[in-house]
Coordinates of all heavy atoms in Angstrom, one line a residue:
M1 N 232.5 -26.5 136.1 CA 231.6 -25.4 136.5 C 231.0 -25.8 137.8 O 230.7 -27.0 138.0 CB 230.5 -25.3 135.4 CG 229.5 -24.2 135.6 SD 230.0 -22.6 135.0 CE 229.9 -22.9 133.2
Q2 N 231.0 -24.9 138.7 CA 230.4 -25.1 140.0 C 229.5 -24.0 140.4 O 229.6 -22.9 139.9 CB 231.4 -25.4 141.1 CG 232.4 -24.3 141.4 CD 233.3 -24.6 142.5 OE1 232.9 -24.9 143.6 NE2 234.6 -24.7 142.2
D3 N 228.6 -24.2 141.4 CA 227.7 -23.2 141.9 C 228.4 -22.6 143.1 O 229.0 -23.2 143.9 CB 226.4 -23.8 142.3 CG 225.6 -24.2 141.1 OD1 225.8 -23.7 140.0 OD2 224.7 -25.1 141.3
I4 N 228.2 -21.2 143.3 CA 228.5 -20.5 144.5 C 227.2 -20.3 145.2 O 226.3 -19.6 144.8 CB 229.2 -19.2 144.2 CG1 230.5 -19.4 143.4 CG2 229.5 -18.4 145.5 CD1 231.2 -18.1 142.9
K5 N 227.1 -21.0 146.4 CA 225.9 -21.0 147.1 C 226.0 -20.3 148.4 O 227.1 -20.1 149.0 CB 225.4 -22.5 147.4 CG 225.1 -23.2 146.1 CD 224.6 -24.6 146.5 CE 224.3 -25.4 145.3 NZ 223.8 -26.7 145.6
V6 N 224.9 -19.9 149.0 CA 224.8 -19.4 150.3 C 224.9 -20.5 151.3 O 224.1 -21.5 151.2 CB 223.5 -18.6 150.6 CG1 223.5 -18.0 152.0 CG2 223.3 -17.5 149.5
D7 N 225.8 -20.5 152.2 CA 226.0 -21.5 153.2 C 224.8 -21.6 154.1 O 224.4 -20.6 154.7 CB 227.3 -21.2 154.1 CG 227.6 -22.4 155.0 OD1 226.9 -23.3 155.1 OD2 228.7 -22.3 155.6
E8 N 224.2 -22.8 154.2 CA 223.0 -23.0 155.1 C 223.3 -22.7 156.5 O 222.4 -22.4 157.3 CB 222.5 -24.4 154.9 CG 222.0 -24.7 153.5 CD 221.5 -26.1 153.2 OE1 221.1 -26.7 154.2 OE2 221.4 -26.5 152.1
A9 N 224.6 -22.8 157.0 CA 224.9 -22.5 158.4 C 224.7 -21.1 158.7 O 224.5 -20.8 159.9 CB 226.4 -22.9 158.6
L10 N 224.6 -20.2 157.8 CA 224.3 -18.8 158.1 C 223.0 -18.6 158.7 O 222.7 -17.6 159.4 CB 224.4 -17.9 156.8 CG 225.8 -17.8 156.2 CD1 225.8 -17.0 154.9 CD2 226.9 -17.3 157.2
W11 N 222.1 -19.5 158.5 CA 220.7 -19.4 159.1 C 220.6 -20.1 160.5 O 219.5 -20.3 161.0 CB 219.7 -20.1 158.1 CG 219.2 -19.1 157.1 CD1 218.1 -18.3 157.2 CD2 219.8 -18.8 155.8 NE1 218.0 -17.5 156.1 CE2 219.0 -17.8 155.2 CE3 220.9 -19.3 155.1 CZ2 219.3 -17.3 153.9 CZ3 221.1 -18.8 153.9 CH2 220.3 -17.8 153.3
A12 N 221.7 -20.6 161.0 CA 221.7 -21.4 162.2 C 221.0 -20.7 163.4 O 220.2 -21.3 164.1 CB 223.1 -21.8 162.7
S13 N 221.1 -19.4 163.5 CA 220.5 -18.7 164.6 C 219.4 -17.7 164.1 O 218.9 -16.9 164.9 CB 221.6 -17.9 165.4 OG 222.2 -16.9 164.6
S14 N 219.0 -17.9 162.9 CA 218.0 -17.0 162.3 C 216.6 -17.5 162.5 O 216.3 -18.7 162.4 CB 218.3 -16.8 160.8 OG 217.3 -16.1 160.2
M15 N 215.7 -16.6 162.8 CA 214.2 -17.0 162.8 C 213.6 -16.9 161.5 O 212.6 -17.5 161.2 CB 213.5 -16.0 163.8 CG 214.1 -16.1 165.2 SD 213.8 -17.6 166.0 CE 212.1 -17.6 166.4
L16 N 214.1 -16.1 160.6 CA 213.6 -15.9 159.2 C 214.1 -17.0 158.3 O 215.3 -17.3 158.3 CB 213.9 -14.5 158.7 CG 213.3 -13.4 159.5 CD1 213.7 -12.1 158.9 CD2 211.8 -13.5 159.5
P17 N 213.3 -17.5 157.3 CA 213.7 -18.5 156.4 C 214.4 -17.9 155.2 O 214.8 -18.7 154.3 CB 212.4 -19.2 156.0 CG 211.4 -18.1 156.1 CD 211.9 -17.2 157.2
E18 N 214.6 -16.6 155.1 CA 215.2 -16.0 153.9 C 216.1 -14.8 154.2 O 216.0 -14.3 155.3 CB 214.1 -15.6 152.9 CG 213.1 -14.7 153.5 CD 211.8 -14.5 152.6 OE1 211.5 -15.4 151.9 OE2 211.3 -13.4 152.6
G19 N 216.8 -14.4 153.2 CA 217.7 -13.3 153.3 C 217.7 -12.5 152.0 O 216.8 -12.8 151.2
I20 N 218.6 -11.6 151.8 CA 218.6 -10.8 150.6 C 220.1 -10.5 150.2 O 221.0 -10.4 151.1 CB 217.9 -9.4 150.9 CG1 217.7 -8.6 149.6 CG2 218.6 -8.6 151.9 CD1 216.7 -7.5 149.7
V21 N 220.3 -10.5 148.9 CA 221.6 -10.1 148.4 C 221.8 -8.6 148.5 O 221.0 -7.8 147.9 CB 221.8 -10.5 146.9 CG1 223.1 -10.1 146.4 CG2 221.6 -12.0 146.7
E22 N 222.7 -8.2 149.3 CA 222.9 -6.7 149.6 C 223.7 -6.1 148.5 O 223.4 -5.0 148.0 CB 223.6 -6.5 150.9 CG 222.7 -6.6 152.1 CD 221.8 -5.4 152.2 OE1 222.3 -4.2 152.0 OE2 220.6 -5.6 152.5
R23 N 224.9 -6.7 148.1 CA 225.7 -6.1 147.1 C 226.7 -7.2 146.6 O 227.0 -8.2 147.2 CB 226.5 -4.9 147.7 CG 227.7 -5.3 148.6 CD 228.4 -4.1 149.0 NE 227.9 -3.8 150.3 CZ 228.4 -2.8 151.0 NH1 229.3 -2.0 150.6 NH2 227.8 -2.5 152.2
W24 N 227.2 -6.9 145.4 CA 228.3 -7.6 144.7 C 229.5 -6.8 144.8 O 229.5 -5.6 144.5 CB 227.9 -8.0 143.3 CG 226.9 -9.1 143.3 CD1 225.5 -9.0 143.1 CD2 227.2 -10.5 143.4 NE1 225.0 -10.3 143.2 CE2 226.0 -11.2 143.3 CE3 228.4 -11.2 143.5 CZ2 225.9 -12.6 143.4 CZ3 228.3 -12.6 143.6 CH2 227.1 -13.3 143.5
F25 N 230.6 -7.4 145.0 CA 231.9 -6.7 145.0 C 232.6 -7.0 143.6 O 233.7 -6.5 143.4 CB 232.8 -7.2 146.1 CG 232.2 -6.9 147.5 CD1 231.8 -7.9 148.3 CD2 232.1 -5.5 147.9 CE1 231.3 -7.6 149.6 CE2 231.6 -5.2 149.1 CZ 231.2 -6.2 150.0
I26 N 232.0 -7.8 142.8 CA 232.6 -8.2 141.5 C 231.5 -7.9 140.4 O 230.3 -7.8 140.7 CB 233.0 -9.7 141.4 CG1 231.8 -10.6 141.6 CG2 234.1 -9.9 142.4 CD1 232.0 -12.0 141.2
A27 N 231.9 -7.9 139.2 CA 231.0 -7.8 138.1 C 230.8 -9.2 137.5 O 231.7 -10.1 137.6 CB 231.5 -6.9 137.0
S28 N 229.6 -9.5 136.9 CA 229.4 -10.8 136.3 C 230.4 -11.0 135.2 O 230.7 -10.1 134.4 CB 228.0 -10.8 135.7 OG 227.7 -12.2 135.3
G29 N 231.0 -12.1 135.1 CA 232.1 -12.4 134.1 C 233.5 -12.1 134.6 O 234.4 -12.4 133.9
A30 N 233.6 -11.6 135.8 CA 234.9 -11.2 136.3 C 235.7 -12.4 136.7 O 235.2 -13.5 137.1 CB 234.7 -10.3 137.6
A31 N 237.0 -12.3 136.6 CA 238.0 -13.3 137.0 C 238.1 -13.1 138.6 O 238.3 -12.0 139.0 CB 239.3 -13.2 136.3
I32 N 238.0 -14.2 139.3 CA 238.1 -14.1 140.8 C 239.1 -15.1 141.3 O 239.4 -16.1 140.6 CB 236.7 -14.3 141.5 CG1 236.1 -15.6 141.1 CG2 235.8 -13.1 141.1 CD1 234.8 -15.9 141.9
K33 N 239.6 -14.9 142.5 CA 240.6 -15.8 143.1 C 239.9 -16.5 144.3 O 239.1 -15.9 145.0 CB 241.8 -15.1 143.5 CG 242.6 -14.5 142.4 CD 243.8 -13.8 142.9 CE 244.6 -13.2 141.7 NZ 245.7 -12.4 142.1
A34 N 240.3 -17.7 144.6 CA 239.8 -18.4 145.7 C 240.0 -17.6 147.0 O 241.1 -17.0 147.2 CB 240.6 -19.8 145.9
G35 N 239.0 -17.5 147.8 CA 239.1 -16.7 149.1 C 238.7 -15.2 148.9 O 238.6 -14.5 149.9
E36 N 238.6 -14.8 147.7 CA 238.3 -13.4 147.4 C 236.8 -13.1 147.8 O 235.9 -13.8 147.6 CB 238.5 -13.0 145.9 CG 238.2 -11.6 145.6 CD 238.4 -11.4 144.1 OE1 238.9 -12.2 143.4 OE2 237.9 -10.3 143.6
R37 N 236.6 -11.9 148.5 CA 235.3 -11.5 148.8 C 234.5 -11.1 147.6 O 235.0 -10.3 146.8 CB 235.4 -10.3 149.8 CG 234.2 -9.5 150.0 CD 234.6 -8.3 151.0 NE 235.0 -7.2 150.2 CZ 234.9 -5.9 150.6 NH1 234.3 -5.7 151.8 NH2 235.3 -4.9 149.9
I38 N 233.4 -11.7 147.4 CA 232.6 -11.5 146.1 C 231.3 -10.9 146.3 O 230.7 -10.2 145.4 CB 232.6 -12.7 145.2 CG1 231.8 -13.8 145.9 CG2 234.0 -13.2 144.8 CD1 231.5 -15.0 145.1
A39 N 230.6 -11.1 147.4 CA 229.3 -10.6 147.7 C 229.0 -10.5 149.2 O 229.8 -10.9 150.0 CB 228.2 -11.6 147.1
E40 N 227.9 -9.8 149.4 CA 227.5 -9.6 150.8 C 226.0 -9.9 150.9 O 225.2 -9.4 150.0 CB 227.7 -8.2 151.2 CG 227.6 -7.9 152.7 CD 228.1 -6.5 153.0 OE1 227.6 -5.5 152.5 OE2 229.0 -6.4 153.9
V41 N 225.5 -10.7 151.8 CA 224.1 -11.0 152.0 C 223.7 -10.6 153.4 O 224.5 -10.6 154.3 CB 223.8 -12.5 151.7 CG1 224.1 -12.9 150.3 CG2 224.5 -13.4 152.7
R42 N 222.4 -10.3 153.5 CA 221.8 -9.9 154.8 C 220.8 -11.0 155.2 O 219.9 -11.3 154.4 CB 221.1 -8.5 154.7 CG 220.5 -8.1 156.0 CD 219.8 -6.8 155.9 NE 220.7 -5.7 155.5 CZ 221.5 -5.1 156.4 NH1 221.5 -5.4 157.7 NH2 222.3 -4.1 155.9
I43 N 221.0 -11.5 156.4 CA 220.1 -12.4 157.0 C 219.7 -11.8 158.3 O 220.5 -11.6 159.2 CB 220.7 -13.8 157.2 CG1 221.1 -14.3 155.8 CG2 219.7 -14.7 157.9 CD1 222.0 -15.6 155.9
E44 N 218.4 -11.5 158.4 CA 217.9 -10.6 159.5 C 218.7 -9.4 159.6 O 218.8 -8.6 158.6 CB 217.9 -11.4 160.8 CG 216.8 -12.5 160.8 CD 216.7 -13.3 162.2 OE1 217.5 -13.0 163.1 OE2 215.8 -14.1 162.2
D45 N 219.3 -9.0 160.7 CA 220.1 -7.8 160.8 C 221.6 -8.0 160.6 O 222.4 -7.0 160.7 CB 219.9 -7.1 162.2 CG 218.5 -6.6 162.3 OD1 217.8 -6.2 161.3 OD2 218.0 -6.6 163.5
A46 N 222.0 -9.2 160.2 CA 223.4 -9.5 160.1 C 223.9 -9.5 158.6 O 223.2 -10.1 157.8 CB 223.8 -10.8 160.7
L47 N 225.0 -8.9 158.3 CA 225.6 -9.0 157.0 C 226.7 -10.1 157.0 O 227.4 -10.2 158.0 CB 226.3 -7.6 156.6 CG 225.3 -6.5 156.4 CD1 226.1 -5.2 156.2 CD2 224.5 -6.8 155.1
H48 N 226.7 -10.8 155.9 CA 227.7 -11.9 155.8 C 228.4 -11.8 154.5 O 227.7 -11.6 153.4 CB 226.9 -13.3 155.9 CG 226.1 -13.5 157.1 ND1 226.7 -13.9 158.3 CD2 224.8 -13.3 157.3 CE1 225.7 -14.0 159.2 NE2 224.6 -13.6 158.6
E49 N 229.7 -11.9 154.5 CA 230.5 -11.9 153.3 C 230.5 -13.3 152.7 O 230.6 -14.3 153.4 CB 231.9 -11.4 153.5 CG 232.0 -9.9 153.8 CD 233.4 -9.5 153.8 OE1 234.4 -10.3 153.8 OE2 233.6 -8.2 153.8
I50 N 230.4 -13.3 151.3 CA 230.5 -14.6 150.6 C 231.9 -14.5 149.9 O 232.2 -13.5 149.2 CB 229.4 -14.7 149.6 CG1 228.0 -14.6 150.2 CG2 229.5 -16.0 148.8 CD1 227.7 -15.6 151.3
V51 N 232.6 -15.6 150.0 CA 234.0 -15.6 149.4 C 234.0 -16.7 148.3 O 233.2 -17.6 148.3 CB 235.1 -15.8 150.4 CG1 235.2 -14.7 151.4 CG2 234.9 -17.2 151.1
A52 N 234.8 -16.5 147.3 CA 235.0 -17.4 146.2 C 235.6 -18.7 146.7 O 236.6 -18.7 147.4 CB 235.9 -16.8 145.1
P53 N 234.9 -19.8 146.3 CA 235.4 -21.1 146.8 C 236.6 -21.6 145.9 O 237.3 -22.5 146.4 CB 234.2 -22.1 146.5 CG 233.5 -21.4 145.4 CD 233.7 -19.9 145.6
A54 N 236.8 -21.0 144.8 CA 237.9 -21.4 143.9 C 238.2 -20.3 142.9 O 237.5 -19.3 142.9 CB 237.5 -22.7 143.1
T55 N 239.3 -20.4 142.2 CA 239.7 -19.4 141.2 C 239.0 -19.7 139.9 O 238.8 -20.9 139.5 CB 241.2 -19.4 141.0 OG1 241.8 -19.1 142.2 CG2 241.6 -18.5 139.9
G56 N 238.5 -18.7 139.2 CA 237.9 -18.9 137.9 C 237.1 -17.6 137.5 O 237.4 -16.5 137.9
R57 N 236.1 -17.8 136.6 CA 235.2 -16.7 136.2 C 233.8 -16.9 136.7 O 233.2 -17.9 136.5 CB 235.2 -16.6 134.7 CG 236.5 -16.2 134.1 CD 236.3 -15.6 132.7 NE 237.6 -15.2 132.2 CZ 238.2 -14.0 132.5 NH1 237.6 -13.1 133.2 NH2 239.4 -13.7 132.0
A58 N 233.3 -15.8 137.4 CA 232.0 -15.9 138.0 C 231.0 -15.3 137.2 O 231.2 -14.2 136.6 CB 232.1 -15.2 139.4
T59 N 229.8 -15.9 137.1 CA 228.6 -15.4 136.4 C 227.6 -15.2 137.5 O 227.1 -16.2 138.1 CB 228.2 -16.3 135.3 OG1 229.2 -16.5 134.4 CG2 226.9 -15.7 134.6
I60 N 227.1 -14.0 137.7 CA 226.1 -13.7 138.8 C 224.8 -14.2 138.3 O 224.3 -14.0 137.2 CB 226.1 -12.2 139.1 CG1 227.4 -11.8 139.7 CG2 224.9 -11.9 139.9 CD1 227.6 -10.3 139.8
V61 N 224.1 -14.9 139.3 CA 222.8 -15.5 139.0 C 221.7 -14.7 139.9 O 220.7 -14.4 139.4 CB 222.7 -17.0 139.4 CG1 221.3 -17.5 139.3 CG2 223.7 -17.8 138.5
A62 N 222.1 -14.4 141.1 CA 221.2 -13.7 142.0 C 221.6 -12.2 142.0 O 222.6 -11.9 142.5 CB 221.2 -14.3 143.4
M63 N 220.7 -11.4 141.5 CA 221.0 -9.9 141.5 C 220.8 -9.3 142.8 O 220.2 -9.9 143.8 CB 220.0 -9.3 140.5 CG 220.2 -9.8 139.1 SD 221.8 -9.4 138.4 CE 222.2 -10.8 137.5
V64 N 221.3 -8.0 143.0 CA 221.1 -7.3 144.2 C 219.6 -7.2 144.5 O 218.8 -7.0 143.6 CB 221.8 -5.9 144.0 CG1 221.4 -5.0 145.2 CG2 223.3 -6.0 143.9
N65 N 219.3 -7.3 145.8 CA 217.9 -7.3 146.3 C 217.2 -8.6 146.1 O 216.0 -8.6 146.4 CB 217.1 -6.1 145.8 CG 217.7 -4.8 146.3 OD1 218.2 -4.7 147.4 ND2 217.7 -3.8 145.4
A66 N 217.8 -9.6 145.5 CA 217.2 -10.9 145.3 C 216.9 -11.5 146.7 O 217.8 -11.5 147.6 CB 218.0 -11.8 144.4
I67 N 215.8 -12.2 146.8 CA 215.5 -12.9 148.0 C 216.2 -14.3 147.9 O 216.1 -15.0 146.9 CB 214.0 -13.1 148.2 CG1 213.2 -11.8 148.2 CG2 213.7 -14.0 149.4 CD1 213.6 -10.9 149.4
I68 N 216.9 -14.7 149.0 CA 217.6 -15.9 149.0 C 217.2 -16.8 150.2 O 216.7 -16.3 151.2 CB 219.1 -15.7 149.0 CG1 219.5 -14.8 150.2 CG2 219.6 -15.2 147.7 CD1 221.0 -14.7 150.4
E69 N 217.4 -18.1 150.0 CA 217.1 -19.1 151.0 C 218.4 -19.9 151.3 O 219.3 -19.8 150.5 CB 215.9 -20.0 150.6 CG 214.7 -19.2 150.4 CD 213.6 -20.1 149.8 OE1 213.9 -21.2 149.3 OE2 212.4 -19.7 149.9
P70 N 218.4 -20.7 152.4 CA 219.6 -21.5 152.6 C 219.9 -22.4 151.4 O 219.0 -23.0 150.8 CB 219.1 -22.4 153.8 CG 218.1 -21.6 154.5 CD 217.4 -20.8 153.4
G71 N 221.1 -22.3 150.9 CA 221.6 -23.1 149.8 C 221.3 -22.5 148.4 O 221.6 -23.1 147.4
S72 N 220.8 -21.3 148.4 CA 220.5 -20.6 147.1 C 221.8 -20.4 146.3 O 222.8 -20.1 146.9 CB 219.9 -19.2 147.4 OG 218.6 -19.3 147.8
V73 N 221.7 -20.5 145.0 CA 222.8 -20.3 144.1 C 222.9 -18.8 143.9 O 222.0 -18.1 143.5 CB 222.6 -21.0 142.8 CG1 223.8 -20.6 141.8 CG2 222.6 -22.5 143.0
L74 N 224.1 -18.2 144.2 CA 224.4 -16.8 144.0 C 225.0 -16.6 142.6 O 224.8 -15.5 142.0 CB 225.3 -16.2 145.1 CG 224.7 -16.3 146.5 CD1 225.7 -15.8 147.5 CD2 223.4 -15.4 146.6
A75 N 225.9 -17.5 142.3 CA 226.6 -17.3 141.0 C 227.1 -18.7 140.6 O 227.1 -19.6 141.4 CB 227.8 -16.4 141.2
T76 N 227.6 -18.8 139.3 CA 228.2 -20.0 138.9 C 229.7 -19.6 138.6 O 230.0 -18.5 138.4 CB 227.6 -20.5 137.6 OG1 227.7 -19.5 136.6 CG2 226.2 -21.0 137.8
L77 N 230.6 -20.6 138.8 CA 232.0 -20.4 138.7 C 232.6 -21.4 137.7 O 232.5 -22.6 137.9 CB 232.7 -20.6 140.1 CG 234.2 -20.4 140.1 CD1 234.5 -18.9 139.8 CD2 234.7 -20.8 141.4
D78 N 233.2 -20.8 136.6 CA 233.8 -21.7 135.7 C 235.3 -21.7 136.1 O 236.1 -20.8 135.9 CB 233.7 -21.1 134.2 CG 234.3 -22.0 133.2 OD1 235.0 -23.0 133.5 OD2 234.0 -21.8 132.0
D79 N 235.6 -22.8 136.8 CA 237.0 -23.0 137.3 C 237.9 -23.7 136.4 O 239.0 -24.0 136.7 CB 236.9 -23.7 138.7 CG 236.2 -25.0 138.7 OD1 235.8 -25.4 137.6 OD2 236.1 -25.6 139.7
T80 N 237.5 -23.9 135.1 CA 238.3 -24.5 134.1 C 239.1 -23.5 133.3 O 240.0 -23.8 132.6 CB 237.5 -25.4 133.1 OG1 236.6 -24.6 132.4 CG2 236.8 -26.5 133.9
L81 N 238.6 -22.2 133.4 CA 239.2 -21.1 132.7 C 240.3 -20.5 133.5 O 240.2 -20.4 134.7 CB 238.2 -20.1 132.3 CG 237.1 -20.5 131.3 CD1 236.1 -19.3 131.1 CD2 237.7 -20.9 130.0
Q82 N 241.4 -20.0 132.9 CA 242.4 -19.3 133.6 C 242.0 -17.8 133.7 O 241.7 -17.2 132.6 CB 243.7 -19.4 132.9 CG 244.3 -20.8 132.9 CD 244.6 -21.3 134.4 OE1 245.1 -20.5 135.2 NE2 244.3 -22.5 134.6
P83 N 241.8 -17.3 134.9 CA 241.5 -15.8 135.0 C 242.6 -15.0 134.4 O 243.7 -15.4 134.4 CB 241.3 -15.6 136.5 CG 242.0 -16.7 137.1 CD 242.1 -17.8 136.2
G84 N 242.2 -13.8 133.9 CA 243.2 -12.9 133.4 C 242.7 -12.0 132.5 O 242.1 -11.2 132.1

């Protein structure tokens, strides 16, 4: 099991300490593949896509419109299960 987090580097040029979860491209419990686009977050006026770090089943932790900070957990990924 691993956490899918917001990369702290996304805040490198930001003046604000937080962002927001704009949308999910997957449902909680969905099987996802490494590199698949799974979510979109807004930091200031910029939208950033979040991609799956590995293949497995994702469980969403941060709902749409949730306030996030650098390193926030967006979802957990059970990479021991075979998706399907």
Side-chain angles (χ1 to χ4, degrees):
M1 188 82 73
Q2 66 177 294
D3 292 334
I4 300 174
K5 296 182 179 184
V6 182
D7 187 353
E8 294 181 21
L10 295 178
W11 274 269
S13 63
S14 176
M15 300 295 286
L16 297 176
E18 56 192 30
I20 190 167
V21 177
E22 280 287 316
R23 75 176 96 179
W24 283 96
F25 298 113
I26 62 163
S28 192
I32 58 175
K33 295 181 181 175
E36 179 180 350
R37 165 179 90 150
I38 60 170
E40 192 171 59
V41 297
R42 179 180 300 277
I43 301 169
E44 289 185 353
D45 291 330
L47 289 174
H48 303 277
E49 285 188 351
I50 306 300
V51 298
T55 298
R57 291 204 180 274
T59 301
I60 294 172
V61 174
M63 298 297 144
V64 171
N65 294 324
I67 302 298
I68 54 171
E69 297 175 342
S72 289
V73 175
L74 297 176
T76 58
L77 180 66
D78 187 345
D79 53 4
T80 62
L81 296 176
Q82 294 296 320

